[in-house]
Amino acid sequence: MRLDGRIAVVTGGTRGLGRAITEAYLAEGASVVAAARNPYDIKELADEYGDRLLYQPVDVTHERSVQELMDAAVAAYGGIDILVNNAGVSRDGKIARLSVADWNTTLATNLTGVFLCTRAAIGPMTARDRAEGQSGHIINVSSCVAGRAAAGAAAYSASKAAVEMFTRTSAVELAPRGIRVNCLSPGYIDEGMGKELAANERAWEAYRGRLLAGRLGRPEEVGAAAVFLASDDGSYVNGSVVEVNGGLNWAA
C-alpha cells in the first residue's frame, strides 16, 4: 500500500492508460478523482473501491472546469497529493493537410490542459500537511513520439515534446514548494492507439521489429511506473522523463 492515505487526481482517468493508472493507485491505497469528459465504465471500479473513487467531469482546456475539478478533490478528500496529467487527444495528419482546428485542439488539450491543471493544483498541493520527506507530485504523460519524428504526427509530437520541457521547467519552479514533477513516456501499449496499431496488419509489421521486448506493453506496466514515481520509492526522481517502452529501437 505504497500510496496509502494519498489523494490523486488523474485526468483522462476513466479509460485507457488513465484508467490503468487509476486502478493502480486505488490498489496501492490512494483515494482517486478520475476526471474525464465521460465516465465510461468507471462505475465498475466505484463498486469495488467505494468512496475512495470519485468521478468528476472535466474539460482540461477550460480554466473554470479545471478549477472545479481541483475544488471537488479538496471537498471530497481534503486536498491533493498527486496529479496525473494524462488527458490527451491525437489528430493525425500530414502538415500539408492538417487543419488549423485539429492543430489547435491537439495543443489545447495536450499542452494547455497540462498547464491549467498544474497551475490549479499548486495551491492544494502546497497546503497539504505531509510527513517529513514526503512531497506533492505531478506526473505529465508524454509519448515515445515526443522526441522521434513520425510522419503524420506533427501536432501530437509537438504537443508532447512541449510537455516534456514544461515538465523540466515545472520541476525547477515547484521544487521549493515541496512538489516533484516528472514525465511518463509510454511506448506502444496494448491499449488505445497502440492496440489500433497492432490491429493494422501492415502498420504492425512495420513497427513490430522496433520493439526490443517483442510485444506491446501492458497498461498495468504503465500503471506500475506511475505508482513508483508517485510513491516514496521515487522520492529522488525529479524533472525526469521516464520511458516505459520495452526498449524502443526507433532506427530499426
Side-chain angles (χ1 to χ4, degrees):
M1 304 293 282
R2 287 175 289 174
L3 301 178
D4 189 33
R6 309 284 179 90
I7 300 156
V9 174
V10 182
T11 68
T14 60
R15 67 171 179 170
L17 296 185
R19 181 185 169 112
I21 294 171
T22 293
E23 290 188 36
Y25 282 1
L26 288 166
E28 290 285 351
S31 296
V32 181
V33 180
R37 292 178 184 268
N38 299 294
Y40 295 102
D41 58 354
I42 199 69
K43 187 178 182 300
E44 295 176 2
L45 285 183
D47 291 341
E48 181 177 356
Y49 290 100
D51 60 7
R52 283 206 290 119
L53 175 64
L54 172 69
Y55 166 70
Q56 174 68 23
V58 70
D59 180 346
V60 299
T61 69
H62 288 177
E63 186 175 1
R64 178 175 292 183
S65 182
V66 168
Q67 188 59 56
E68 289 172 352
L69 166 61
M70 303 307 167
D71 290 344
V74 173
Y77 300 122
I80 301 171
D81 297 301
I82 303 160
L83 168 64
V84 180
N85 284 313
N86 168 73
V89 298
S90 176
R91 297 289 188 269
D92 291 340
K94 292 186 177 180
I95 295 167
R97 63 172 182 266
L98 182 65
S99 71
V100 173
D102 282 348
W103 173 271
N104 287 341
T105 296
T106 303
L107 271 291
T109 304
N110 296 1
L111 180 58
T112 303
V114 171
F115 159 67
L116 290 175
C117 290
T118 296
R119 189 180 64 175
I122 292 172
M125 277 195 178
T126 304
R128 283 283 282 170
D129 184 18
R130 299 186 183 86
E132 184 177 354
Q134 288 186 348
S135 61
H137 190 216
I138 297 172
I139 300 173
N140 300 320
V141 179
S142 178
S143 166
C144 61
V145 298
R148 302 170 176 91
Y156 185 75
S157 294
S159 71
K160 293 302 186 178
V163 164
E164 294 189 0
M165 183 50 70
F166 182 82
T167 297
R168 296 184 179 99
T169 304
S170 300
V172 172
E173 292 188 8
L174 299 182
R177 296 174 180 257
I179 299 172
R180 292 185 296 120
V181 188
N182 287 296
C183 194
L184 191 58
S185 176
Y188 293 102
I189 308 298
D190 193 15
E191 186 61 69
M193 288 180 285
K195 182 175 286 188
E196 292 173 8
L197 174 69
N200 184 322
E201 186 175 340
R202 182 177 178 183
W204 177 235
E205 191 61 33
Y207 279 88
R208 181 169 51 187
R210 297 174 177 175
L211 306 178
L212 299 186
R215 62 171 175 84
L216 291 173
R218 298 187 296 273
E220 55 266 30
E221 290 173 314
V222 177
V227 168
F228 164 76
L229 286 175
S231 72
D232 292 343
D233 292 341
S235 60
Y236 204 57
V237 183
N238 198 11
S240 297
V241 177
V242 177
E243 295 188 334
V244 184
N245 60 26
L248 180 59
N249 181 12
W250 204 251

